[in-house]
Amino acid sequence: MQKSILFKTESEKPIERFIEDLKQNAPEFNFTVRHVLDMAEEYRRHGVEVEDGFQLYQVIICNFKRSYQTIQKDSERAAVLLPPKQMSVYRQNGKTVINYLPFTEEIIAMALPGQEEFQKRLAKTCRNIIELIKKSC
């Protein structure tokens, strides 16, 4: 049985407090919280009836300077660079749950073979995002 690569952690903090702490801690890790999407509102905006109390957020972070520099070198990298910068945050069993799918060097290599330096840097960035999440919990 293969081990999941999904990073999952919990916090006693309410969602709003976790997101505020994430915003506050992000600069220490060279990130900015780019968007916080309230998925209940997104679903409603697209005609979906959402149950009262439904809470799910997508939080997208970015290191804008590094992202731009990387994409300037090779625009194809955008397809691999941007997806691993988001996490889901929701409530379950009285706790805030944070799920994040970090890209490993192997995943990046499958998408962009031959770009070893980029593979290493992006995998390290994903590990830094995990540290940011942990600190914000």
Side-chain angles (χ1 to χ4, degrees), residues 5-130:
I5 63 169
L6 182 68
F7 174 77
K8 181 177 179 176
T9 192
E10 296 178 344
S11 175
E12 297 293 331
K13 297 176 182 178
I15 290 174
E16 297 78 10
R17 181 75 238 164
F18 167 77
I19 291 173
E20 285 307 311
D21 289 349
L22 190 75
K23 288 177 181 179
Q24 186 175 22
N25 293 327
E28 179 182 332
F29 293 83
N30 296 313
F31 290 108
T32 299
V33 173
R34 186 173 143 210
H35 293 293
V36 177
L37 299 169
D38 178 339
M39 293 307 295
E41 291 303 315
E42 290 290 317
Y43 290 135
R44 285 183 188 107
R45 196 175 345 201
H46 291 89
V48 177
E49 288 189 36
V50 178
E51 292 178 19
D52 289 339
F54 176 81
Q55 286 187 296
L56 172 67
Y57 294 84
Q58 282 186 300
V59 180
I60 303 169
I61 65 174
C62 191
N63 176 328
F64 285 99
K65 182 177 181 182
R66 182 173 241 173
S67 175
Y68 179 71
Q69 290 170 343
T70 298
I71 291 172
Q72 281 296 98
K73 289 181 184 175
D74 182 349
S75 294
E76 191 173 41
R77 291 177 175 180
V80 179
L81 180 67
L82 301 177
K85 303 290 179 29
Q86 61 184 333
M87 63 197 76
S88 65
V89 183
Y90 58 93
R91 292 293 287 178
Q92 185 175 48
N93 300 323
K95 297 186 188 258
T96 294
V97 178
I98 302 95
N99 288 334
Y100 170 64
L101 182 62
F103 282 13
T104 62
E105 286 184 43
E106 295 79 16
I107 291 170
I108 303 161
M110 286 189 284
L112 295 172
Q115 296 196 28
E116 290 81 13
E117 181 184 332
F118 175 68
Q119 295 161 11
K120 285 180 176 41
R121 277 197 331 262
L122 183 54
K124 182 179 180 196
T125 296
C126 291
R127 291 189 299 273
N128 286 340
I129 291 170
I130 290 172

